[in-house]
Amino acid sequence: MTDGTRDELTAVAEVLNRALTHHQAGDRYDAEVGHVRLVAYSPITLALDDALDTVRRLIDAAPSA
């Protein structure tokens, strides 16, 4: 993987992380307002988490150019 590609994937991971953090906070708030003990994460939150994991694995597994 070239340094440029690694930098771009790192930028994507940062955006995914911010979005995931935002959605997790919203899900926790919804649970708190609803007086629910267990947070049920929304499908978008779960998808963001999966996407972030995938991008991180790509970055970690790819050899440097």
Side-chain angles (χ1 to χ4, degrees), residues 32-59:
E32 183 180 314
V33 169
H35 304 288
V36 178
R37 286 188 192 178
L38 184 63
V39 176
Y41 290 110
S42 67
I44 188 71
T45 303
L46 298 174
L48 287 166
D49 188 43
D50 288 344
L52 180 57
D53 286 344
T54 299
V55 171
R56 285 179 174 161
R57 281 195 308 266
L58 284 171
I59 293 169

Side-chain angles (χ1 to χ4, degrees), residues 3-21:
D3 289 340
T5 302
R6 186 176 300 278
D7 291 344
E8 292 300 322
L9 283 174
T10 300
V12 169
E14 289 171 359
V15 170
L16 286 170
N17 189 50
R18 284 195 305 269
L20 176 61
T21 300

